[in-house]
Amino acid sequence: MIVVLLTTLLGIVVTWMVATIIRNRATVSKLQKQLTNFKVVPSVPLLGSAYHFKDPTPEGIFNTFTGFHQKYGPNLITQSFFNYPSFQVCDPKVIAQVMQARTVEKTIIYDFMKPWLGTGLVVSTGAKWYQRRKLITPTFHFKMLQDFLVIMNLQTDVLIEKLKRNANSKDFDIYEHVTYCALDIISESAMGVKLNTQQQPNSEYVMAVKELSDIILKRLFSFLREYPWAFQFTKAHRRQKELLKIVHDFAYNVISERKKQLQDEREQQLTQQQLEEEDVYGKRRMNMLDLLLNVTIDDKPLSDTDIREEVDTFMFAGHDTTTSCISFAAYYLSQDAVIQQRVYDEIQAVVGPDAKTQMLTSATLQELKYLEMVISETLRMNPSVPIIGRRSAGDMVIDGVTIPKGMDFGILLYALHNDPVENPDPTRFDPERFSDEVYKHRQPYSYIPFSVGARNCIGQRYAMLEVKTMLVKLVANYRLLPCDESNKLRIKTDMTLKPVNGAFVKIVPR
Protein backbone atom coordinates (compact mmCIF):
# COMPACT_ATOMS: atom_id res chain seq x y z
CA MET A 1 0.00 0.00 0.00
CA ILE A 2 2.80 2.40 0.96
CA VAL A 3 4.70 1.53 -2.22
CA VAL A 4 1.62 2.25 -4.33
CA LEU A 5 1.06 5.54 -2.52
CA LEU A 6 4.66 6.64 -2.99
CA THR A 7 4.60 5.61 -6.66
CA THR A 8 1.41 7.60 -7.22
CA LEU A 9 2.84 10.62 -5.43
CA LEU A 10 6.03 10.43 -7.47
CA GLY A 11 4.00 10.19 -10.65
CA ILE A 12 2.03 13.31 -9.73
CA VAL A 13 5.23 15.24 -8.97
CA VAL A 14 6.91 14.18 -12.21
CA THR A 15 3.79 14.99 -14.22
CA TRP A 16 3.61 18.44 -12.62
CA MET A 17 7.30 19.08 -13.31
CA VAL A 18 7.04 18.04 -16.95
CA ALA A 19 3.87 20.09 -17.50
CA THR A 20 5.45 23.16 -15.82
CA ILE A 21 8.61 22.89 -17.92
CA ILE A 22 6.63 22.50 -21.16
CA ARG A 23 4.38 25.45 -20.32
CA ASN A 24 7.30 27.72 -19.39
CA ARG A 25 9.36 26.81 -22.44
CA ALA A 26 6.32 27.57 -24.61
CA THR A 27 6.10 31.01 -22.95
CA VAL A 28 9.79 31.61 -23.70
CA SER A 29 9.29 30.62 -27.33
CA LYS A 30 6.33 32.98 -27.67
CA LEU A 31 8.21 35.89 -26.09
CA GLN A 32 11.20 35.25 -28.35
CA LYS A 33 9.02 35.54 -31.44
CA GLN A 34 7.30 38.71 -30.23
CA LEU A 35 10.35 40.54 -28.85
CA THR A 36 12.75 40.44 -31.76
CA ASN A 37 15.32 42.63 -30.00
CA PHE A 38 15.68 40.10 -27.17
CA LYS A 39 17.99 37.10 -27.16
CA VAL A 40 17.33 33.90 -25.23
CA VAL A 41 20.21 32.81 -23.03
CA PRO A 42 20.85 29.11 -23.80
CA SER A 43 19.06 26.82 -21.38
CA VAL A 44 18.29 23.19 -20.66
CA PRO A 45 15.09 21.57 -19.37
CA LEU A 46 14.58 21.82 -15.61
CA LEU A 47 17.79 23.78 -14.86
CA GLY A 48 16.99 26.57 -17.31
CA SER A 49 19.91 29.02 -17.62
CA ALA A 50 21.17 28.07 -14.16
CA TYR A 51 23.65 25.56 -15.53
CA HIS A 52 25.85 28.51 -16.58
CA PHE A 53 26.51 29.36 -12.92
CA LYS A 54 29.40 27.00 -12.31
CA ASP A 55 31.07 29.21 -9.68
CA PRO A 56 28.62 29.52 -6.74
CA THR A 57 30.55 32.31 -4.96
CA PRO A 58 29.12 35.87 -5.00
CA GLU A 59 32.01 36.91 -7.26
CA GLY A 60 31.36 34.00 -9.63
CA ILE A 61 27.62 34.62 -9.75
CA PHE A 62 28.22 38.29 -10.51
CA ASN A 63 30.70 37.51 -13.29
CA THR A 64 28.28 35.06 -14.90
CA PHE A 65 25.42 37.55 -14.71
CA THR A 66 27.38 40.35 -16.33
CA GLY A 67 28.95 37.90 -18.78
CA PHE A 68 25.51 37.15 -20.26
CA HIS A 69 25.32 40.69 -21.61
CA GLN A 70 28.86 40.62 -22.93
CA LYS A 71 28.13 37.39 -24.78
CA TYR A 72 24.48 37.63 -25.86
CA GLY A 73 23.55 41.32 -25.93
CA PRO A 74 21.72 44.00 -23.91
CA ASN A 75 18.20 42.49 -23.83
CA LEU A 76 17.91 38.92 -22.63
CA ILE A 77 15.35 36.30 -21.71
CA THR A 78 16.73 34.01 -19.02
CA GLN A 79 15.21 30.95 -17.37
CA SER A 80 15.41 29.88 -13.75
CA PHE A 81 14.66 26.40 -12.42
CA PHE A 82 11.74 24.67 -14.12
CA ASN A 83 12.43 27.11 -16.98
CA TYR A 84 10.52 30.02 -15.44
CA PRO A 85 11.23 32.94 -17.81
CA SER A 86 12.40 36.39 -16.77
CA PHE A 87 14.06 39.36 -18.42
CA GLN A 88 17.54 40.76 -17.86
CA VAL A 89 18.10 44.13 -19.55
CA CYS A 90 20.71 46.87 -19.85
CA ASP A 91 19.38 48.70 -22.93
CA PRO A 92 18.47 52.33 -21.99
CA LYS A 93 15.46 52.32 -24.33
CA VAL A 94 14.01 49.18 -22.75
CA ILE A 95 14.84 50.37 -19.23
CA ALA A 96 12.87 53.55 -19.94
CA GLN A 97 9.82 51.51 -20.90
CA VAL A 98 10.06 49.35 -17.78
CA MET A 99 10.56 52.26 -15.38
CA GLN A 100 7.81 54.34 -16.99
CA ALA A 101 5.17 51.61 -16.72
CA ARG A 102 2.20 52.95 -14.79
CA THR A 103 2.08 50.05 -12.34
CA VAL A 104 4.95 47.78 -11.42
CA GLU A 105 5.61 45.43 -8.57
CA LYS A 106 8.77 44.38 -6.77
CA THR A 107 10.58 41.22 -7.82
CA ILE A 108 11.33 38.15 -5.77
CA ILE A 109 14.60 39.53 -4.38
CA TYR A 110 12.58 42.04 -2.37
CA ASP A 111 10.45 39.21 -0.99
CA PHE A 112 13.67 37.65 0.31
CA MET A 113 14.52 40.95 2.05
CA LYS A 114 11.26 41.06 4.02
CA PRO A 115 12.38 38.94 7.00
CA TRP A 116 15.12 41.53 7.53
CA LEU A 117 13.71 44.87 6.31
CA GLY A 118 10.01 44.07 6.68
CA THR A 119 7.96 46.24 4.37
CA GLY A 120 9.99 49.38 4.93
CA LEU A 121 10.53 52.03 2.29
CA VAL A 122 12.75 49.92 0.00
CA VAL A 123 10.45 46.90 -0.03
CA SER A 124 6.96 48.34 0.36
CA THR A 125 4.60 49.11 -2.52
CA GLY A 126 1.31 50.89 -3.09
CA ALA A 127 -0.31 53.00 -0.38
CA LYS A 128 2.17 52.03 2.34
CA TRP A 129 5.16 53.03 0.19
CA TYR A 130 3.54 56.36 -0.69
CA GLN A 131 2.69 57.02 2.96
CA ARG A 132 6.21 56.21 4.23
CA ARG A 133 7.92 58.11 1.40
CA LYS A 134 5.85 61.20 2.16
CA LEU A 135 6.57 60.84 5.87
CA ILE A 136 10.34 60.40 5.54
CA THR A 137 11.02 62.89 2.71
CA PRO A 138 11.29 65.94 5.07
CA THR A 139 14.29 64.26 6.73
CA PHE A 140 16.27 64.89 3.55
CA HIS A 141 15.22 68.51 3.09
CA PHE A 142 18.10 70.86 2.26
CA LYS A 143 18.04 72.47 5.72
CA MET A 144 18.14 69.09 7.46
CA LEU A 145 21.03 68.00 5.26
CA GLN A 146 22.94 71.10 6.33
CA ASP A 147 22.57 69.94 9.92
CA PHE A 148 23.65 66.40 9.05
CA LEU A 149 26.75 67.78 7.35
CA VAL A 150 28.12 68.85 10.74
CA ILE A 151 28.00 65.23 11.87
CA MET A 152 29.59 64.06 8.63
CA ASN A 153 32.49 66.45 9.18
CA LEU A 154 33.14 65.47 12.77
CA GLN A 155 32.88 61.72 12.22
CA THR A 156 35.16 61.96 9.18
CA ASP A 157 37.70 63.78 11.37
CA VAL A 158 37.64 60.72 13.62
CA LEU A 159 38.30 58.52 10.58
CA ILE A 160 41.24 60.68 9.45
CA GLU A 161 42.78 60.45 12.90
CA LYS A 162 42.32 56.67 13.00
CA LEU A 163 44.01 56.24 9.63
CA LYS A 164 47.24 57.72 10.98
CA ARG A 165 48.24 54.28 12.24
CA ASN A 166 48.17 53.03 8.63
CA ALA A 167 50.28 55.89 7.23
CA ASN A 168 53.69 55.17 5.71
CA SER A 169 52.97 51.48 5.96
CA LYS A 170 51.89 48.55 3.80
CA ASP A 171 48.60 48.04 2.00
CA PHE A 172 45.48 48.21 4.15
CA ASP A 173 41.78 47.73 3.48
CA ILE A 174 40.14 51.15 3.62
CA TYR A 175 36.68 49.60 3.15
CA GLU A 176 36.51 48.39 6.75
CA HIS A 177 37.43 51.81 8.18
CA VAL A 178 34.92 53.64 5.99
CA THR A 179 32.21 51.15 7.00
CA TYR A 180 32.35 52.13 10.66
CA CYS A 181 32.56 55.83 9.88
CA ALA A 182 29.47 55.61 7.65
CA LEU A 183 27.66 53.60 10.33
CA ASP A 184 28.37 56.29 12.94
CA ILE A 185 27.21 59.00 10.55
CA ILE A 186 23.87 57.39 9.65
CA SER A 187 23.08 56.42 13.25
CA GLU A 188 23.77 59.89 14.61
CA SER A 189 22.25 61.90 11.77
CA ALA A 190 19.17 59.84 10.88
CA MET A 191 18.60 58.20 14.28
CA GLY A 192 19.98 60.74 16.75
CA VAL A 193 22.00 58.04 18.53
CA LYS A 194 25.79 57.96 18.86
CA LEU A 195 27.11 54.44 18.35
CA ASN A 196 30.86 55.24 18.39
CA THR A 197 31.61 52.17 16.30
CA GLN A 198 34.78 53.79 15.00
CA GLN A 199 36.18 53.68 18.51
CA GLN A 200 34.45 50.46 19.52
CA PRO A 201 33.76 48.51 16.31
CA ASN A 202 30.51 46.54 16.35
CA SER A 203 31.77 43.83 14.06
CA GLU A 204 28.87 41.53 14.99
CA TYR A 205 26.31 43.83 13.35
CA VAL A 206 28.47 44.55 10.30
CA MET A 207 29.26 40.88 9.73
CA ALA A 208 25.59 39.94 10.21
CA VAL A 209 24.59 42.43 7.50
CA LYS A 210 27.17 40.95 5.14
CA GLU A 211 26.06 37.38 5.79
CA LEU A 212 22.36 38.19 5.46
CA SER A 213 23.05 39.83 2.10
CA ASP A 214 24.95 36.75 1.01
CA ILE A 215 22.06 34.45 1.98
CA ILE A 216 19.61 36.59 -0.02
CA LEU A 217 21.85 36.37 -3.10
CA LYS A 218 22.22 32.60 -2.82
CA ARG A 219 18.46 32.16 -2.46
CA LEU A 220 18.06 33.84 -5.84
CA PHE A 221 20.05 31.01 -7.38
CA SER A 222 18.63 28.23 -5.26
CA PHE A 223 16.72 25.29 -6.70
CA LEU A 224 13.95 26.29 -4.26
CA ARG A 225 13.83 29.94 -5.39
CA GLU A 226 10.25 29.78 -6.66
CA TYR A 227 9.06 27.98 -3.52
CA PRO A 228 9.80 30.23 -0.51
CA TRP A 229 7.96 27.88 1.86
CA ALA A 230 10.70 25.26 1.35
CA PHE A 231 13.42 27.64 2.60
CA GLN A 232 12.33 27.08 6.21
CA PHE A 233 13.71 23.53 6.08
CA THR A 234 17.23 24.58 5.13
CA LYS A 235 20.38 25.24 7.15
CA ALA A 236 20.51 28.75 5.65
CA HIS A 237 17.10 29.50 7.18
CA ARG A 238 18.33 28.56 10.65
CA ARG A 239 21.40 30.75 10.20
CA GLN A 240 19.24 33.60 8.90
CA LYS A 241 17.16 33.50 12.09
CA GLU A 242 20.32 33.90 14.16
CA LEU A 243 21.48 36.82 12.05
CA LEU A 244 18.06 38.50 12.08
CA LYS A 245 18.14 38.50 15.88
CA ILE A 246 21.46 40.36 15.78
CA VAL A 247 20.36 43.07 13.33
CA HIS A 248 16.87 43.47 14.78
CA ASP A 249 18.20 43.70 18.34
CA PHE A 250 20.63 46.32 17.07
CA ALA A 251 17.77 48.35 15.57
CA TYR A 252 15.56 47.98 18.63
CA ASN A 253 18.44 49.15 20.81
CA VAL A 254 18.79 52.26 18.66
CA ILE A 255 15.04 52.92 19.00
CA SER A 256 15.12 52.30 22.74
CA GLU A 257 18.08 54.61 23.23
CA ARG A 258 16.40 57.42 21.29
CA LYS A 259 13.13 56.95 23.19
CA LYS A 260 15.03 57.24 26.45
CA GLN A 261 16.73 60.43 25.31
CA LEU A 262 13.42 61.99 24.29
CA GLN A 263 11.80 60.94 27.56
CA ASP A 264 14.65 62.45 29.58
CA GLU A 265 14.16 65.72 27.72
CA ARG A 266 10.43 65.73 28.47
CA GLU A 267 10.98 64.91 32.14
CA GLN A 268 13.46 67.73 32.49
CA GLN A 269 10.90 70.02 30.81
CA LEU A 270 13.60 71.79 28.89
CA THR A 271 12.62 74.78 26.81
CA GLN A 272 13.50 74.84 23.13
CA GLN A 273 16.26 77.35 23.88
CA GLN A 274 17.69 75.09 26.59
CA LEU A 275 17.54 72.11 24.23
CA GLU A 276 19.56 74.04 21.68
CA GLU A 277 22.10 74.92 24.34
CA GLU A 278 22.26 71.29 25.45
CA ASP A 279 22.96 69.98 21.93
CA VAL A 280 26.63 69.17 21.45
CA TYR A 281 26.65 70.91 18.06
CA GLY A 282 24.88 74.02 19.31
CA LYS A 283 21.57 73.28 17.60
CA ARG A 284 18.58 71.08 18.31
CA ARG A 285 17.97 68.62 15.46
CA MET A 286 14.98 66.65 14.31
CA ASN A 287 15.90 63.39 12.60
CA MET A 288 14.14 60.57 10.81
CA LEU A 289 13.71 58.46 13.94
CA ASP A 290 12.18 61.39 15.83
CA LEU A 291 9.66 61.82 13.02
CA LEU A 292 8.75 58.14 13.17
CA LEU A 293 8.41 58.19 16.96
CA ASN A 294 6.12 61.22 16.95
CA VAL A 295 3.94 60.63 13.91
CA THR A 296 0.42 59.20 14.04
CA ILE A 297 -1.43 57.51 11.19
CA ASP A 298 -5.20 57.24 11.58
CA ASP A 299 -4.69 58.66 15.10
CA LYS A 300 -2.40 55.77 16.03
CA PRO A 301 1.36 55.93 16.58
CA LEU A 302 3.61 53.62 14.59
CA SER A 303 4.44 50.36 16.35
CA ASP A 304 8.00 49.51 17.29
CA THR A 305 7.97 46.96 14.45
CA ASP A 306 6.91 49.65 11.95
CA ILE A 307 9.70 51.90 13.16
CA ARG A 308 12.21 49.06 13.21
CA GLU A 309 11.54 48.36 9.53
CA GLU A 310 12.62 51.87 8.59
CA VAL A 311 15.55 51.90 11.02
CA ASP A 312 16.82 48.61 9.55
CA THR A 313 16.35 49.96 6.03
CA PHE A 314 18.21 53.20 6.61
CA MET A 315 20.93 51.74 8.82
CA PHE A 316 21.71 49.23 6.06
CA ALA A 317 21.26 51.45 3.01
CA GLY A 318 22.75 54.48 4.72
CA HIS A 319 26.10 52.89 5.45
CA ASP A 320 26.56 50.03 2.97
CA THR A 321 26.05 51.92 -0.29
CA THR A 322 28.12 54.98 0.65
CA THR A 323 30.90 52.76 1.97
CA SER A 324 31.18 51.06 -1.40
CA CYS A 325 31.30 54.34 -3.34
CA ILE A 326 33.86 55.99 -1.04
CA SER A 327 36.11 52.93 -0.94
CA PHE A 328 36.01 52.38 -4.71
CA ALA A 329 36.72 56.08 -5.32
CA ALA A 330 39.71 56.00 -2.96
CA TYR A 331 41.02 52.92 -4.75
CA TYR A 332 40.71 54.49 -8.22
CA LEU A 333 42.34 57.72 -7.04
CA SER A 334 45.25 55.71 -5.64
CA GLN A 335 45.70 54.09 -9.05
CA ASP A 336 45.96 57.36 -10.98
CA ALA A 337 48.27 60.04 -9.58
CA VAL A 338 47.27 62.58 -12.25
CA ILE A 339 43.56 62.42 -11.46
CA GLN A 340 44.27 62.44 -7.73
CA GLN A 341 46.48 65.54 -8.07
CA ARG A 342 43.74 67.33 -9.97
CA VAL A 343 41.28 66.53 -7.15
CA TYR A 344 43.80 67.79 -4.57
CA ASP A 345 44.45 71.01 -6.53
CA GLU A 346 40.71 71.68 -6.73
CA ILE A 347 40.34 71.14 -2.98
CA GLN A 348 43.16 73.58 -2.30
CA ALA A 349 41.67 76.17 -4.66
CA VAL A 350 38.08 75.88 -3.37
CA VAL A 351 38.42 74.92 0.29
CA GLY A 352 41.79 76.54 0.95
CA PRO A 353 45.06 75.61 2.64
CA ASP A 354 43.29 74.56 5.86
CA ALA A 355 41.22 71.92 4.02
CA LYS A 356 42.59 69.22 6.34
CA THR A 357 40.61 70.48 9.30
CA GLN A 358 38.05 72.94 7.93
CA MET A 359 34.34 72.38 8.56
CA LEU A 360 33.01 71.73 5.07
CA THR A 361 29.73 73.35 4.04
CA SER A 362 27.23 72.38 1.38
CA ALA A 363 28.08 75.50 -0.62
CA THR A 364 31.77 74.60 -0.60
CA LEU A 365 31.15 71.01 -1.61
CA GLN A 366 28.95 72.10 -4.52
CA GLU A 367 31.89 74.04 -5.97
CA LEU A 368 34.02 70.88 -6.25
CA LYS A 369 32.96 70.06 -9.80
CA TYR A 370 35.87 67.80 -10.70
CA LEU A 371 35.45 65.78 -7.50
CA GLU A 372 31.81 65.30 -8.45
CA MET A 373 32.94 63.99 -11.84
CA VAL A 374 35.25 61.53 -10.05
CA ILE A 375 32.34 60.31 -7.90
CA SER A 376 30.09 59.99 -10.96
CA GLU A 377 32.73 57.95 -12.78
CA THR A 378 33.13 55.73 -9.71
CA LEU A 379 29.37 55.09 -9.69
CA ARG A 380 29.49 54.43 -13.43
CA MET A 381 32.14 51.75 -13.13
CA ASN A 382 30.84 50.32 -9.87
CA PRO A 383 27.26 51.40 -9.08
CA SER A 384 26.63 50.77 -5.38
CA VAL A 385 23.35 49.03 -6.25
CA PRO A 386 24.28 47.02 -9.36
CA ILE A 387 20.84 45.61 -10.12
CA ILE A 388 17.25 46.70 -9.50
CA GLY A 389 14.17 44.58 -10.04
CA ARG A 390 10.68 45.25 -11.33
CA ARG A 391 7.73 42.96 -12.05
CA SER A 392 5.04 43.58 -14.63
CA ALA A 393 1.64 44.20 -13.11
CA GLY A 394 -0.45 43.70 -16.23
CA ASP A 395 -0.13 46.90 -18.22
CA MET A 396 3.55 46.95 -19.15
CA VAL A 397 4.34 47.30 -22.85
CA ILE A 398 7.86 46.67 -24.19
CA ASP A 399 8.61 47.34 -27.85
CA GLY A 400 4.88 47.30 -28.58
CA VAL A 401 4.36 43.91 -26.88
CA THR A 402 2.16 43.57 -23.77
CA ILE A 403 4.15 41.71 -21.14
CA PRO A 404 2.28 39.02 -19.19
CA LYS A 405 1.49 39.87 -15.59
CA GLY A 406 4.07 38.67 -13.10
CA MET A 407 7.14 38.73 -15.37
CA ASP A 408 10.36 39.77 -13.60
CA PHE A 409 12.81 42.30 -15.03
CA GLY A 410 16.35 42.49 -13.73
CA ILE A 411 17.81 45.87 -14.70
CA LEU A 412 21.56 45.35 -14.56
CA LEU A 413 22.97 48.80 -13.83
CA TYR A 414 26.52 47.48 -13.78
CA ALA A 415 26.22 46.16 -17.34
CA LEU A 416 24.39 49.33 -18.41
CA HIS A 417 27.14 51.60 -17.07
CA ASN A 418 29.93 49.44 -18.49
CA ASP A 419 28.44 49.06 -21.96
CA PRO A 420 31.29 49.81 -24.42
CA VAL A 421 28.88 51.40 -26.91
CA GLU A 422 27.85 54.12 -24.47
CA ASN A 423 31.17 54.16 -22.62
CA PRO A 424 34.13 53.33 -24.88
CA ASP A 425 36.94 51.54 -23.05
CA PRO A 426 34.64 51.09 -20.03
CA THR A 427 37.30 49.69 -17.68
CA ARG A 428 39.31 52.92 -17.92
CA PHE A 429 38.64 55.34 -15.05
CA ASP A 430 37.94 58.64 -16.82
CA PRO A 431 36.05 61.40 -14.96
CA GLU A 432 35.95 63.46 -18.16
CA ARG A 433 33.02 61.30 -19.27
CA PHE A 434 30.99 63.51 -16.92
CA SER A 435 32.19 66.88 -18.11
CA ASP A 436 29.30 69.07 -19.28
CA GLU A 437 30.39 68.82 -22.90
CA VAL A 438 30.49 65.01 -22.94
CA TYR A 439 27.62 64.23 -20.58
CA LYS A 440 25.04 66.20 -22.56
CA HIS A 441 25.36 63.66 -25.39
CA ARG A 442 24.37 60.70 -23.18
CA GLN A 443 21.07 59.12 -24.06
CA PRO A 444 18.39 59.12 -21.33
CA TYR A 445 18.43 56.21 -18.85
CA SER A 446 22.04 55.32 -19.71
CA TYR A 447 23.34 56.43 -16.31
CA ILE A 448 21.04 55.85 -13.31
CA PRO A 449 23.14 55.01 -10.21
CA PHE A 450 20.33 56.18 -7.89
CA SER A 451 17.56 54.55 -9.95
CA VAL A 452 15.05 56.86 -11.63
CA GLY A 453 11.43 57.94 -11.42
CA ALA A 454 9.15 58.07 -8.39
CA ARG A 455 11.08 55.30 -6.61
CA ASN A 456 14.51 56.81 -7.02
CA CYS A 457 16.85 56.83 -4.02
CA ILE A 458 15.39 59.13 -1.37
CA GLY A 459 18.81 59.60 0.20
CA GLN A 460 20.90 60.44 -2.86
CA ARG A 461 21.62 64.05 -1.83
CA TYR A 462 22.55 62.84 1.64
CA ALA A 463 24.83 60.20 0.13
CA MET A 464 26.59 62.68 -2.15
CA LEU A 465 27.30 65.04 0.75
CA GLU A 466 28.77 62.19 2.78
CA VAL A 467 30.87 60.83 -0.09
CA LYS A 468 32.23 64.30 -0.91
CA THR A 469 33.01 65.09 2.72
CA MET A 470 34.99 61.91 3.27
CA LEU A 471 36.90 62.15 0.00
CA VAL A 472 37.81 65.82 0.53
CA LYS A 473 39.22 65.17 3.97
CA LEU A 474 40.90 61.95 2.87
CA VAL A 475 42.68 63.52 -0.12
CA ALA A 476 43.49 66.73 1.80
CA ASN A 477 45.22 64.75 4.55
CA TYR A 478 46.78 61.82 2.69
CA ARG A 479 48.36 61.02 -0.62
CA LEU A 480 46.86 57.74 -1.84
CA LEU A 481 49.28 55.26 -3.38
CA PRO A 482 48.50 52.07 -5.35
CA CYS A 483 48.41 48.74 -3.56
CA ASP A 484 50.52 45.73 -4.46
CA GLU A 485 49.46 43.69 -7.47
CA SER A 486 48.28 40.85 -5.21
CA ASN A 487 45.66 43.17 -3.68
CA LYS A 488 44.14 44.50 -6.90
CA LEU A 489 40.43 45.24 -6.72
CA ARG A 490 37.97 42.45 -7.42
CA ILE A 491 34.23 42.94 -7.10
CA LYS A 492 31.22 40.91 -6.13
CA THR A 493 27.60 41.64 -5.40
CA ASP A 494 24.93 40.66 -2.93
CA MET A 495 22.48 43.48 -2.22
CA THR A 496 25.19 46.02 -3.00
CA LEU A 497 28.43 45.99 -4.95
CA LYS A 498 31.44 45.24 -2.76
CA PRO A 499 35.13 44.44 -3.03
CA VAL A 500 35.79 40.69 -2.74
CA ASN A 501 38.66 40.90 -0.26
CA GLY A 502 38.79 44.65 0.37
CA ALA A 503 39.69 47.96 -1.26
CA PHE A 504 43.43 48.23 -0.61
CA VAL A 505 45.50 51.42 -0.72
CA LYS A 506 48.64 52.86 0.82
CA ILE A 507 48.60 56.32 2.40
CA VAL A 508 51.26 58.95 3.07
CA PRO A 509 50.53 62.12 5.11
CA ARG A 510 50.58 65.32 3.07
Side-chain angles (χ1 to χ4, degrees):
M1 181 66 180
I2 294 178
V3 173
V4 173
L5 184 61
L6 290 175
T7 302
T8 302
L9 183 60
L10 180 61
I12 293 172
V13 171
V14 170
T15 301
W16 173 85
M17 289 173 58
V18 171
T20 299
I21 291 169
I22 291 173
R23 182 179 67 249
N24 288 334
R25 286 172 70 86
T27 300
V28 170
S29 180
K30 180 180 179 181
L31 290 170
Q32 185 179 17
K33 291 176 182 177
Q34 293 177 318
L35 296 166
T36 56
N37 289 327
F38 281 70
K39 302 294 183 184
V40 175
V41 174
S43 65
V44 296
L46 183 63
L47 294 179
S49 310
Y51 77 95
H52 293 281
F53 294 88
K54 296 178 173 61
D55 181 351
T57 65
E59 182 183 14
I61 291 171
F62 179 72
N63 289 337
T64 302
F65 242 143
T66 56
F68 284 161
H69 289 294
Q70 295 169 3
K71 190 171 184 179
Y72 303 111
N75 302 317
L76 306 175
I77 301 173
T78 61
Q79 298 169 57
S80 59
F81 291 109
F82 297 108
N83 299 89
Y84 282 104
S86 61
F87 297 98
Q88 184 176 312
V89 300
C90 66
D91 179 345
K93 293 184 177 65
V94 174
I95 291 172
Q97 295 174 77
V98 174
M99 301 303 282
Q100 291 173 2
R102 286 177 298 169
T103 55
V104 292
E105 300 169 345
K106 292 285 189 159
T107 57
I108 196 167
I109 186 173
Y110 297 94
D111 293 335
F112 294 164
M113 293 180 192
K114 286 181 180 178
W116 174 11
L117 304 180
T119 51
L121 193 61
V122 168
V123 179
S124 61
T125 57
K128 181 173 182 178
W129 170 81
Y130 179 79
Q131 185 184 73
R132 293 292 174 87
R133 177 92 180 197
K134 184 178 180 181
L135 173 65
I136 294 169
T137 292
T139 306
F140 298 99
H141 185 273
F142 177 77
K143 188 176 183 302
M144 298 284 281
L145 292 176
Q146 291 284 90
D147 293 341
F148 293 162
L149 191 51
V150 178
I151 297 169
M152 294 174 186
N153 273 272
L154 295 176
Q155 289 295 350
T156 301
D157 288 340
V158 175
L159 170 67
I160 297 303
E161 182 66 26
K162 279 190 65 184
L163 291 180
K164 285 183 178 179
R165 69 190 68 173
N166 297 103
N168 299 308
S169 187
K170 59 183 181 180
D171 297 355
F172 75 99
D173 178 16
I174 198 169
Y175 185 92
E176 179 181 357
H177 295 278
V178 173
T179 295
Y180 289 116
C181 183
L183 197 55
D184 279 346
I185 289 172
I186 189 66
S187 64
E188 191 171 354
S189 59
M191 309 302 159
V193 175
K194 295 182 181 180
L195 294 180
N196 297 317
T197 58
Q198 291 197 84
Q199 305 294 357
Q200 300 173 331
N202 188 332
S203 58
E204 185 180 46
Y205 172 79
V206 172
M207 294 307 295
V209 167
K210 290 179 180 178
E211 196 172 345
L212 276 171
S213 300
D214 188 50
I215 289 174
I216 290 171
L217 177 72
K218 289 180 177 177
R219 286 188 70 187
L220 281 175
F221 296 90
S222 165
F223 187 73
L224 302 175
R225 163 183 162 151
E226 307 294 339
Y227 310 100
W229 57 268
F231 177 63
Q232 63 185 306
F233 302 108
T234 65
K235 181 180 178 181
H237 178 261
R238 293 190 292 274
R239 179 56 179 161
Q240 179 175 278
K241 286 182 66 176
E242 297 169 356
L243 297 169
L244 288 174
K245 185 177 188 316
I246 293 172
V247 296
H248 287 168
D249 284 352
F250 183 89
Y252 281 128
N253 285 338
V254 168
I255 296 168
S256 176
E257 178 63 24
R258 189 57 184 164
K259 279 185 173 180
K260 183 177 182 300
Q261 291 174 2
L262 294 175
Q263 181 62 31
D264 288 345
E265 290 174 1
R266 284 192 289 268
E267 290 178 355
Q268 293 172 28
Q269 296 183 329
L270 296 178
T271 65
Q272 181 64 26
Q273 181 180 354
Q274 288 172 319
L275 285 173
E276 291 177 0
E277 292 171 354
E278 287 286 323
D279 191 278
V280 67
Y281 302 124
K283 191 172 185 180
R284 181 75 169 96
R285 287 173 172 77
M286 177 69 76
N287 54 60
M288 187 193 79
L289 182 52
D290 290 352
L291 289 173
L292 295 173
L293 289 169
N294 286 287
V295 74
T296 58
I297 297 176
D298 297 330
D299 296 324
K300 295 180 181 179
L302 296 178
S303 68
D304 278 2
T305 300
D306 288 329
I307 297 171
R308 193 266 303 156
E309 290 177 347
E310 303 303 343
V311 169
D312 272 331
T313 297
F314 279 87
M315 288 299 292
F316 162 67
H319 90 274
D320 210 46
T321 54
T322 53
T323 294
S324 291
C325 181
I326 293 162
S327 302
F328 288 141
Y331 176 85
Y332 290 127
L333 289 173
S334 75
Q335 296 288 311
D336 195 312
V338 174
I339 293 175
Q340 183 181 165
Q341 186 62 43
R342 186 169 171 184
V343 170
Y344 179 75
D345 291 343
E346 182 183 56
I347 291 170
Q348 294 299 300
V350 173
V351 183
D354 58 347
K356 290 183 179 181
T357 56
Q358 183 171 321
M359 182 71 71
L360 301 169
T361 66
S362 178
T364 300
L365 293 175
Q366 286 178 7
E367 290 186 53
L368 298 169
K369 301 301 183 183
Y370 188 71
L371 176 62
E372 190 161 321
M373 289 161 59
V374 166
I375 295 168
S376 295
E377 176 68 348
T378 300
L379 290 171
R380 180 198 66 79
M381 290 184 69
N382 290 333
S384 296
V385 179
I387 183 171
I388 55 179
R390 294 291 185 266
R391 179 179 293 154
S392 62
D395 62 352
M396 183 184 290
V397 177
I398 303 297
D399 293 347
V401 177
T402 300
I403 303 301
K405 179 179 173 62
M407 294 294 292
D408 284 352
F409 282 79
I411 301 171
L412 214 63
L413 301 190
Y414 180 87
L416 168 69
H417 290 180
N418 286 273
D419 178 6
V421 174
E422 187 70 31
N423 297 287
D425 194 8
T427 60
R428 178 171 57 89
F429 188 76
D430 181 13
E432 291 298 328
R433 300 180 204 268
F434 291 89
S435 65
D436 291 340
E437 183 59 34
V438 176
Y439 188 74
K440 69 181 182 181
H441 296 296
R442 276 188 175 274
Q443 65 172 311
Y445 292 86
S446 65
Y447 177 74
I448 49 174
F450 296 103
S451 189
V452 68
R455 295 199 67 126
N456 67 348
C457 175
I458 192 174
Q460 59 183 288
R461 289 192 299 172
Y462 173 99
M464 286 297 289
L465 284 178
E466 182 177 334
V467 172
K468 286 180 179 178
T469 299
M470 279 206 216
L471 289 177
V472 167
K473 289 183 177 284
L474 183 62
V475 173
N477 282 274
Y478 298 106
R479 189 157 54 95
L480 306 174
L481 301 178
C483 62
D484 296 338
E485 190 66 30
S486 60
N487 286 325
K488 289 294 185 181
L489 183 67
R490 293 159 48 204
I491 57 175
K492 65 178 181 179
T493 190
D494 38 52
M495 290 168 66
T496 60
L497 206 65
K498 295 180 174 70
V500 174
N501 297 316
F504 287 89
V505 298
K506 293 185 179 74
I507 58 173
V508 175
R510 291 192 185 270

